[in-house]
Amino acid sequence: MTTAPEASRTAATSQAIGFLLLDNFTLISLASAIEPLRMANQLAGRELYRWYTISLDGAAVKASDGLCVTPDVATHTALTLDTVIVCGGVGPQRAVKREHLSWLQAQARLSRRLAAVCTGSWALAKAGLLDGYETSTHWECLAAMQEAFPKVALSTRLFSIDRDRATSSGGTAPMDMMLTLIGRDHGRELAAGISEMFIYDRVRNEQDLQRVPLKHVLGTTQPKLLEIVALMESNLEEPITLDELANYVDVSRRQLERLFQKNLHCSPSRYYLKLRLTRARQLLKQTPMSIIEVASACGFVSTPHFSKCYREYFGIPPRDERLEKNSVEMLPVTLGKEPAALLQSATYEERSLEPLSAAMGALAQAQGEPTYASVRLKS
Protein backbone atom coordinates (compact mmCIF):
# COMPACT_ATOMS: atom_id res chain seq x y z
CA MET A 1 0.00 0.00 0.00
CA THR A 2 1.23 3.51 -0.63
CA THR A 3 1.60 6.51 1.60
CA ALA A 4 -0.04 9.80 0.61
CA PRO A 5 2.90 11.33 -1.33
CA GLU A 6 3.21 8.19 -3.42
CA ALA A 7 -0.48 7.95 -4.33
CA SER A 8 -0.25 9.91 -7.57
CA ARG A 9 2.68 7.81 -8.77
CA THR A 10 0.96 4.46 -8.25
CA ALA A 11 -2.72 5.31 -8.66
CA ALA A 12 -2.82 4.04 -12.24
CA THR A 13 -0.91 0.82 -11.58
CA SER A 14 -1.84 -2.45 -9.94
CA GLN A 15 -0.15 -3.14 -6.62
CA ALA A 16 0.93 -6.65 -5.66
CA ILE A 17 0.43 -7.65 -2.04
CA GLY A 18 1.71 -10.84 -0.46
CA PHE A 19 0.11 -12.32 2.65
CA LEU A 20 2.57 -14.45 4.61
CA LEU A 21 0.53 -16.98 6.61
CA LEU A 22 1.90 -18.12 9.97
CA ASP A 23 0.62 -21.31 11.60
CA ASN A 24 -2.56 -20.66 13.60
CA PHE A 25 -3.19 -17.30 11.91
CA THR A 26 -6.64 -15.83 12.52
CA LEU A 27 -8.86 -16.22 9.50
CA ILE A 28 -10.99 -13.17 10.34
CA SER A 29 -7.92 -10.91 10.22
CA LEU A 30 -6.83 -12.31 6.85
CA ALA A 31 -10.33 -11.84 5.42
CA SER A 32 -10.58 -8.33 6.88
CA ALA A 33 -7.39 -7.41 5.03
CA ILE A 34 -8.10 -9.08 1.67
CA GLU A 35 -11.79 -8.30 1.19
CA PRO A 36 -11.31 -4.50 0.97
CA LEU A 37 -8.84 -5.12 -1.88
CA ARG A 38 -11.36 -7.26 -3.74
CA MET A 39 -14.06 -4.66 -3.33
CA ALA A 40 -11.72 -1.85 -4.36
CA ASN A 41 -11.21 -3.63 -7.68
CA GLN A 42 -14.94 -4.24 -8.09
CA LEU A 43 -16.01 -0.68 -7.43
CA ALA A 44 -13.22 0.75 -9.58
CA GLY A 45 -13.91 -1.71 -12.40
CA ARG A 46 -10.24 -2.50 -12.81
CA GLU A 47 -7.44 -4.22 -11.01
CA LEU A 48 -6.01 -1.80 -8.48
CA TYR A 49 -4.66 -4.58 -6.29
CA ARG A 50 -3.69 -8.20 -6.75
CA TRP A 51 -2.81 -10.50 -3.89
CA TYR A 52 -1.07 -13.78 -3.16
CA THR A 53 -1.10 -15.98 -0.08
CA ILE A 54 2.34 -17.30 0.84
CA SER A 55 3.81 -19.99 3.09
CA LEU A 56 7.35 -21.23 3.59
CA ASP A 57 6.99 -24.33 1.43
CA GLY A 58 3.70 -23.70 -0.37
CA ALA A 59 1.91 -26.28 1.79
CA ALA A 60 -1.48 -25.63 3.40
CA VAL A 61 -1.46 -23.55 6.57
CA LYS A 62 -3.98 -24.19 9.35
CA ALA A 63 -5.82 -21.20 10.78
CA SER A 64 -6.65 -20.87 14.48
CA ASP A 65 -10.18 -22.15 13.82
CA GLY A 66 -8.87 -25.34 12.22
CA LEU A 67 -9.61 -24.39 8.61
CA CYS A 68 -6.73 -24.88 6.19
CA VAL A 69 -5.73 -22.40 3.50
CA THR A 70 -3.68 -23.60 0.55
CA PRO A 71 -1.38 -20.72 -0.35
CA ASP A 72 -0.75 -19.52 -3.87
CA VAL A 73 3.03 -19.68 -3.64
CA ALA A 74 5.99 -20.57 -1.45
CA THR A 75 8.49 -18.01 -0.19
CA HIS A 76 11.08 -19.19 -2.72
CA THR A 77 8.77 -18.24 -5.63
CA ALA A 78 9.99 -15.20 -7.55
CA LEU A 79 7.38 -12.53 -6.92
CA THR A 80 7.55 -8.79 -7.45
CA LEU A 81 5.64 -7.47 -4.46
CA ASP A 82 4.88 -3.95 -3.34
CA THR A 83 3.77 -4.94 0.16
CA VAL A 84 4.20 -7.95 2.41
CA ILE A 85 1.63 -8.47 5.18
CA VAL A 86 2.35 -11.02 7.91
CA CYS A 87 -0.79 -12.75 9.18
CA GLY A 88 -0.42 -13.97 12.75
CA GLY A 89 -2.73 -15.42 15.33
CA VAL A 90 -2.41 -17.83 18.23
CA GLY A 91 1.08 -18.46 19.62
CA PRO A 92 3.24 -16.34 17.29
CA GLN A 93 6.33 -17.20 19.35
CA ARG A 94 5.96 -20.82 18.22
CA ALA A 95 4.78 -20.05 14.71
CA VAL A 96 7.68 -17.82 13.65
CA LYS A 97 10.54 -19.82 12.15
CA ARG A 98 14.07 -18.78 11.27
CA GLU A 99 13.13 -19.10 7.58
CA HIS A 100 10.32 -16.59 8.06
CA LEU A 101 12.76 -14.08 9.51
CA SER A 102 15.28 -14.55 6.72
CA TRP A 103 12.62 -14.09 4.06
CA LEU A 104 11.20 -10.96 5.70
CA GLN A 105 14.66 -9.45 6.04
CA ALA A 106 15.23 -10.14 2.34
CA GLN A 107 11.95 -8.39 1.52
CA ALA A 108 13.06 -5.39 3.57
CA ARG A 109 16.33 -5.22 1.63
CA LEU A 110 14.23 -5.12 -1.55
CA SER A 111 12.44 -2.05 -0.09
CA ARG A 112 9.09 -3.80 0.20
CA ARG A 113 6.54 -2.14 2.42
CA LEU A 114 6.05 -4.36 5.46
CA ALA A 115 2.83 -4.82 7.39
CA ALA A 116 1.22 -7.18 9.87
CA VAL A 117 -2.22 -8.09 11.17
CA CYS A 118 -3.19 -9.54 14.55
CA THR A 119 0.04 -10.88 16.11
CA GLY A 120 1.97 -10.89 12.84
CA SER A 121 3.95 -7.94 14.16
CA TRP A 122 5.82 -10.44 16.35
CA ALA A 123 7.53 -11.83 13.24
CA LEU A 124 8.53 -8.38 12.00
CA ALA A 125 9.82 -7.42 15.44
CA LYS A 126 11.73 -10.70 15.77
CA ALA A 127 13.36 -9.96 12.42
CA GLY A 128 14.46 -6.54 13.73
CA LEU A 129 12.24 -4.72 11.25
CA LEU A 130 10.12 -2.72 13.70
CA ASP A 131 12.83 -1.09 15.83
CA GLY A 132 11.90 2.57 16.24
CA TYR A 133 8.52 2.14 14.54
CA GLU A 134 5.17 2.72 16.19
CA THR A 135 3.54 -0.69 16.22
CA SER A 136 0.13 -2.15 16.96
CA THR A 137 -0.62 -5.76 17.83
CA HIS A 138 -3.44 -7.68 19.47
CA TRP A 139 -3.68 -6.67 23.13
CA GLU A 140 -3.03 -10.25 24.27
CA CYS A 141 0.44 -9.97 22.75
CA LEU A 142 1.30 -6.49 24.05
CA ALA A 143 2.96 -7.45 27.32
CA ALA A 144 5.05 -10.21 25.73
CA MET A 145 6.21 -7.93 22.93
CA GLN A 146 7.09 -5.13 25.34
CA GLU A 147 9.28 -7.56 27.23
CA ALA A 148 10.86 -9.19 24.17
CA PHE A 149 11.35 -6.15 21.92
CA PRO A 150 12.17 -3.02 23.96
CA LYS A 151 13.21 -1.07 20.84
CA VAL A 152 9.74 -1.36 19.30
CA ALA A 153 7.40 1.57 20.05
CA LEU A 154 4.31 -0.44 20.95
CA SER A 155 0.90 1.21 20.95
CA THR A 156 -2.58 0.23 22.04
CA ARG A 157 -4.02 1.79 18.88
CA LEU A 158 -6.18 -0.37 16.64
CA PHE A 159 -3.62 0.11 13.90
CA SER A 160 -0.48 2.14 13.29
CA ILE A 161 0.93 3.45 10.02
CA ASP A 162 4.49 4.66 10.47
CA ARG A 163 6.45 5.43 7.30
CA ASP A 164 6.80 2.15 5.36
CA ARG A 165 5.35 0.00 8.15
CA ALA A 166 1.67 -0.71 8.83
CA THR A 167 0.54 -2.90 11.72
CA SER A 168 -2.88 -3.64 13.10
CA SER A 169 -4.46 -5.50 15.98
CA GLY A 170 -6.75 -8.44 15.33
CA GLY A 171 -10.37 -9.15 14.50
CA THR A 172 -11.81 -6.56 12.12
CA ALA A 173 -9.14 -3.92 12.81
CA PRO A 174 -7.22 -4.88 9.62
CA MET A 175 -10.22 -3.67 7.62
CA ASP A 176 -9.88 -0.20 9.15
CA MET A 177 -6.18 -0.16 8.34
CA MET A 178 -6.70 -1.32 4.75
CA LEU A 179 -9.51 1.16 4.16
CA THR A 180 -7.28 3.95 5.40
CA LEU A 181 -4.50 2.86 3.06
CA ILE A 182 -6.86 2.43 0.11
CA GLY A 183 -8.21 5.91 0.79
CA ARG A 184 -4.67 7.27 0.65
CA ASP A 185 -4.00 5.41 -2.58
CA HIS A 186 -7.20 6.14 -4.47
CA GLY A 187 -9.30 8.64 -2.55
CA ARG A 188 -11.90 8.81 0.17
CA GLU A 189 -14.84 8.06 -2.11
CA LEU A 190 -13.54 4.59 -2.93
CA ALA A 191 -12.84 3.79 0.73
CA ALA A 192 -16.31 5.02 1.66
CA GLY A 193 -17.89 2.90 -1.08
CA ILE A 194 -16.11 -0.21 0.22
CA SER A 195 -17.33 0.55 3.74
CA GLU A 196 -20.88 0.83 2.52
CA MET A 197 -20.70 -2.43 0.59
CA PHE A 198 -19.54 -4.22 3.74
CA ILE A 199 -22.18 -2.47 5.88
CA TYR A 200 -19.30 -1.08 7.92
CA ASP A 201 -20.89 1.83 9.70
CA ARG A 202 -17.77 3.66 10.86
CA VAL A 203 -14.20 3.38 9.67
CA ARG A 204 -12.05 3.68 12.75
CA ASN A 205 -8.92 5.79 12.40
CA GLU A 206 -5.38 5.71 13.77
CA GLN A 207 -6.48 7.49 16.95
CA ASP A 208 -8.89 4.75 17.97
CA LEU A 209 -7.60 2.48 20.72
CA GLN A 210 -8.09 -1.16 21.54
CA ARG A 211 -10.08 -1.75 24.67
CA VAL A 212 -7.48 -3.70 26.63
CA PRO A 213 -9.16 -5.46 29.57
CA LEU A 214 -7.69 -4.06 32.79
CA LYS A 215 -7.53 -7.54 34.29
CA HIS A 216 -5.12 -8.43 31.48
CA VAL A 217 -2.88 -5.51 32.46
CA LEU A 218 -3.05 -6.10 36.21
CA GLY A 219 -3.58 -9.84 36.38
CA THR A 220 -5.39 -11.07 39.48
CA THR A 221 -3.10 -9.35 41.99
CA GLN A 222 -5.30 -6.27 42.50
CA PRO A 223 -8.90 -7.42 43.02
CA LYS A 224 -9.90 -4.23 44.86
CA LEU A 225 -8.60 -2.02 42.05
CA LEU A 226 -10.45 -4.10 39.47
CA GLU A 227 -13.63 -3.76 41.53
CA ILE A 228 -13.22 0.02 41.79
CA VAL A 229 -12.70 0.40 38.04
CA ALA A 230 -15.75 -1.79 37.35
CA LEU A 231 -17.78 0.54 39.58
CA MET A 232 -16.46 3.55 37.68
CA GLU A 233 -17.35 2.00 34.32
CA SER A 234 -20.87 1.23 35.54
CA ASN A 235 -21.43 4.77 36.80
CA LEU A 236 -20.36 7.18 34.07
CA GLU A 237 -23.58 9.18 33.89
CA GLU A 238 -23.73 9.74 37.64
CA PRO A 239 -20.14 9.54 38.88
CA ILE A 240 -19.53 8.18 42.37
CA THR A 241 -17.34 10.25 44.69
CA LEU A 242 -13.91 8.89 45.55
CA ASP A 243 -14.88 8.56 49.20
CA GLU A 244 -17.88 6.45 48.22
CA LEU A 245 -15.72 4.28 45.95
CA ALA A 246 -13.26 3.73 48.80
CA ASN A 247 -16.08 2.74 51.15
CA TYR A 248 -17.55 0.29 48.65
CA VAL A 249 -14.35 -1.78 48.58
CA ASP A 250 -13.40 -1.17 52.21
CA VAL A 251 -10.22 0.87 51.73
CA SER A 252 -9.30 4.37 52.86
CA ARG A 253 -9.21 7.33 50.48
CA ARG A 254 -5.42 7.35 50.86
CA GLN A 255 -5.15 3.65 49.99
CA LEU A 256 -7.34 4.29 46.96
CA GLU A 257 -4.98 7.01 45.76
CA ARG A 258 -1.96 4.77 46.25
CA LEU A 259 -3.55 1.86 44.35
CA PHE A 260 -4.09 4.03 41.27
CA GLN A 261 -0.70 5.74 41.40
CA LYS A 262 1.19 2.47 41.81
CA ASN A 263 -0.67 0.41 39.20
CA LEU A 264 -2.15 2.89 36.73
CA HIS A 265 0.25 5.83 37.19
CA CYS A 266 -2.48 8.41 37.65
CA SER A 267 -4.93 9.60 40.28
CA PRO A 268 -8.33 7.89 40.58
CA SER A 269 -10.08 11.12 39.62
CA ARG A 270 -7.95 11.39 36.47
CA TYR A 271 -8.69 7.77 35.55
CA TYR A 272 -12.42 8.30 36.11
CA LEU A 273 -12.32 11.41 33.92
CA LYS A 274 -10.55 9.45 31.17
CA LEU A 275 -13.29 6.79 31.22
CA ARG A 276 -16.01 9.43 30.92
CA LEU A 277 -14.26 11.32 28.11
CA THR A 278 -13.55 8.13 26.19
CA ARG A 279 -17.23 7.25 26.41
CA ALA A 280 -18.11 10.76 25.25
CA ARG A 281 -15.88 10.39 22.22
CA GLN A 282 -17.60 7.13 21.28
CA LEU A 283 -21.02 8.80 21.53
CA LEU A 284 -19.92 11.79 19.44
CA LYS A 285 -18.56 9.55 16.70
CA GLN A 286 -21.20 6.83 16.70
CA THR A 287 -24.51 8.50 17.58
CA PRO A 288 -26.50 11.59 16.57
CA MET A 289 -26.75 12.73 20.21
CA SER A 290 -26.23 16.46 20.72
CA ILE A 291 -23.17 17.71 22.59
CA ILE A 292 -25.40 18.67 25.51
CA GLU A 293 -26.84 15.15 25.63
CA VAL A 294 -23.39 13.58 25.41
CA ALA A 295 -22.12 15.79 28.24
CA SER A 296 -25.05 14.78 30.44
CA ALA A 297 -24.71 11.08 29.58
CA CYS A 298 -21.08 11.17 30.69
CA GLY A 299 -21.62 12.91 34.01
CA PHE A 300 -20.73 16.53 33.19
CA VAL A 301 -22.92 19.15 34.86
CA SER A 302 -22.32 21.79 32.19
CA THR A 303 -21.46 21.82 28.50
CA PRO A 304 -18.66 24.42 28.87
CA HIS A 305 -16.95 22.27 31.52
CA PHE A 306 -17.32 19.20 29.31
CA SER A 307 -15.88 21.06 26.31
CA LYS A 308 -12.93 22.31 28.35
CA CYS A 309 -12.09 18.84 29.67
CA TYR A 310 -12.53 17.29 26.23
CA ARG A 311 -10.24 19.79 24.56
CA GLU A 312 -7.57 19.35 27.23
CA TYR A 313 -7.63 15.57 26.89
CA PHE A 314 -8.08 15.02 23.13
CA GLY A 315 -6.67 18.29 21.78
CA ILE A 316 -9.85 19.32 19.96
CA PRO A 317 -13.26 20.49 21.21
CA PRO A 318 -16.28 18.18 20.96
CA ARG A 319 -17.77 20.32 18.21
CA ASP A 320 -14.73 19.73 15.97
CA GLU A 321 -14.86 16.00 16.74
CA ARG A 322 -18.44 15.95 15.51
CA LEU A 323 -17.53 18.00 12.41
CA GLU A 324 -14.69 15.60 11.62
CA LYS A 325 -17.06 12.67 11.99
CA ASN A 326 -19.57 14.27 9.63
CA SER A 327 -16.88 15.12 7.07
CA VAL A 328 -15.99 11.46 6.67
CA GLU A 329 -19.54 10.11 6.62
CA MET A 330 -19.74 7.29 4.12
CA LEU A 331 -20.51 8.49 0.64
CA PRO A 332 -23.17 6.62 -1.33
CA VAL A 333 -22.04 4.21 -3.99
CA THR A 334 -23.49 5.49 -7.24
CA LEU A 335 -25.22 2.69 -9.11
CA GLY A 336 -26.06 2.47 -12.76
CA LYS A 337 -22.90 3.97 -14.22
CA GLU A 338 -21.68 2.42 -17.43
CA PRO A 339 -19.43 -0.55 -16.55
CA ALA A 340 -15.90 -0.77 -17.87
CA ALA A 341 -16.01 -2.55 -21.21
CA LEU A 342 -13.00 -4.72 -20.63
CA LEU A 343 -10.64 -5.69 -17.87
CA GLN A 344 -7.10 -4.50 -18.18
CA SER A 345 -5.77 -6.05 -21.34
CA ALA A 346 -2.52 -7.37 -19.89
CA THR A 347 -2.86 -10.98 -18.86
CA TYR A 348 -0.84 -12.55 -16.07
CA GLU A 349 1.21 -14.43 -18.65
CA GLU A 350 2.08 -11.13 -20.34
CA ARG A 351 3.01 -9.63 -17.00
CA SER A 352 5.94 -12.02 -16.74
CA LEU A 353 5.86 -15.52 -15.36
CA GLU A 354 4.25 -14.56 -12.05
CA PRO A 355 1.74 -17.08 -10.70
CA LEU A 356 -1.94 -16.39 -11.03
CA SER A 357 -3.48 -14.14 -8.43
CA ALA A 358 -7.09 -14.51 -7.31
CA ALA A 359 -7.72 -10.85 -8.04
CA MET A 360 -8.48 -11.08 -11.76
CA GLY A 361 -10.82 -14.04 -11.34
CA ALA A 362 -12.74 -12.19 -8.64
CA LEU A 363 -12.86 -9.07 -10.79
CA ALA A 364 -14.17 -10.98 -13.79
CA GLN A 365 -16.92 -12.51 -11.67
CA ALA A 366 -17.83 -9.07 -10.32
CA GLN A 367 -18.58 -7.66 -13.77
CA GLY A 368 -22.19 -8.73 -13.45
CA GLU A 369 -22.65 -6.96 -10.12
CA PRO A 370 -24.70 -3.73 -10.18
CA THR A 371 -21.91 -1.95 -8.31
CA TYR A 372 -19.23 -2.88 -10.84
CA ALA A 373 -17.18 0.22 -11.78
CA SER A 374 -19.55 2.40 -9.74
CA VAL A 375 -16.78 4.54 -8.25
CA ARG A 376 -14.91 6.51 -10.89
CA LEU A 377 -11.28 7.21 -10.08
CA LYS A 378 -9.65 10.42 -11.19
CA SER A 379 -6.66 8.63 -12.63
Side-chain angles (χ1 to χ4, degrees):
M1 314 293 290
T2 62
T3 54
E6 299 171 299
S8 59
R9 176 173 59 83
T10 59
T13 62
S14 173
Q15 294 187 55
I17 301 174
F19 291 88
L20 179 63
L21 307 182
L22 302 180
D23 286 338
N24 280 317
F25 72 93
T26 51
L27 199 60
I28 188 172
S29 292
L30 175 65
S32 294
I34 288 182
E35 284 296 301
L37 304 177
R38 176 184 70 83
M39 190 54 65
N41 290 350
Q42 177 174 320
L43 296 184
R46 58 187 174 90
E47 187 192 60
L48 303 178
Y49 302 100
R50 62 188 191 276
W51 54 88
Y52 306 91
T53 50
I54 305 169
S55 70
L56 285 178
D57 55 5
V61 183
K62 185 176 289 188
S64 57
D65 58 9
L67 295 178
C68 287
V69 172
T70 302
D72 300 308
V73 296
T75 51
H76 58 74
T77 305
L79 274 180
T80 302
L81 298 172
D82 295 287
T83 301
V84 172
I85 300 179
V86 185
C87 301
V90 177
Q93 300 93 325
R94 300 185 299 276
V96 175
K97 310 297 183 187
R98 179 174 50 83
E99 294 83 0
H100 289 125
L101 305 181
S102 299
W103 187 76
L104 288 170
Q105 289 162 347
Q107 297 304 303
R109 288 193 294 272
L110 292 169
S111 300
R112 310 287 193 235
R113 300 178 188 90
L114 300 176
V117 297
C118 197
T119 63
S121 51
W122 182 280
L124 293 178
K126 184 75 173 175
L129 301 173
L130 290 178
D131 290 357
Y133 285 90
E134 183 168 323
T135 300
S136 294
T137 191
H138 192 284
W139 58 261
E140 282 189 319
C141 200
L142 270 173
M145 283 194 66
Q146 286 170 338
E147 185 70 24
F149 310 113
K151 293 182 181 179
V152 178
L154 285 158
S155 169
T156 58
R157 293 179 178 180
L158 286 175
F159 65 91
S160 301
I161 301 172
D162 186 353
R163 292 162 284 171
D164 56 351
R165 302 288 188 268
T167 51
S168 85
S169 54
T172 58
M175 185 176 293
D176 299 282
M177 181 177 78
M178 300 302 278
L179 287 170
T180 297
L181 292 168
I182 290 168
R184 292 184 183 186
D185 284 348
H186 299 289
R188 184 169 60 91
E189 183 181 5
L190 180 59
I194 297 167
S195 303
E196 191 165 82
M197 288 297 294
F198 291 148
I199 318 175
Y200 206 58
D201 292 338
R202 184 177 79 87
V203 180
R204 298 168 291 184
N205 60 38
E206 292 174 77
Q207 304 308 313
D208 284 295
L209 303 178
Q210 299 181 67
R211 183 173 170 81
V212 182
L214 191 60
K215 62 183 179 182
H216 176 76
V217 177
L218 299 177
T220 58
T221 60
Q222 299 296 335
K224 288 187 180 295
L225 183 55
L226 291 173
E227 188 177 353
I228 292 167
V229 170
L231 284 167
M232 288 179 171
E233 291 176 335
S234 300
N235 293 275
L236 299 180
E237 186 169 357
E238 297 182 6
I240 304 173
T241 68
L242 297 187
D243 287 329
E244 288 173 325
L245 285 170
N247 288 334
Y248 275 128
V249 296
D250 196 26
V251 298
S252 68
R253 170 74 176 265
R254 195 165 185 174
Q255 288 174 310
L256 180 69
E257 298 276 355
R258 282 202 298 264
L259 275 174
F260 274 83
Q261 289 292 350
K262 179 180 178 180
N263 295 282
L264 299 174
H265 313 294
C266 66
S267 67
S269 57
R270 179 68 177 171
Y271 190 86
Y272 209 168
L273 178 63
K274 182 187 78 169
L275 291 176
R276 292 159 59 205
L277 290 172
T278 300
R279 174 62 175 161
R281 189 166 189 255
Q282 292 171 338
L283 294 175
L284 285 170
K285 284 179 168 289
Q286 299 175 18
T287 75
M289 292 172 65
S290 69
I291 292 175
I292 295 175
E293 290 172 327
V294 170
S296 176
C298 297
F300 292 90
V301 294
S302 72
T303 305
H305 178 58
F306 166 60
S307 297
K308 177 177 179 293
C309 293
Y310 197 96
R311 181 196 288 269
E312 288 176 352
Y313 191 79
F314 290 114
I316 60 172
R319 179 176 175 274
D320 288 359
E321 190 84 83
R322 174 58 56 75
L323 288 173
E324 179 184 337
K325 181 250 185 187
N326 289 338
S327 71
V328 294
E329 283 283 299
M330 288 182 291
L331 302 174
V333 177
T334 305
L335 304 182
K337 291 185 178 179
E338 183 182 353
L342 295 170
L343 299 180
Q344 288 178 309
S345 58
T347 66
Y348 278 87
E349 290 71 25
E350 292 168 341
R351 262 189 198 136
S352 73
L353 297 177
E354 286 188 355
L356 291 173
S357 162
M360 287 297 281
L363 185 57
Q365 288 186 338
Q367 280 189 297
E369 296 293 328
T371 53
Y372 181 78
S374 60
V375 175
R376 296 296 188 188
L377 303 180
K378 294 181 180 179
S379 54

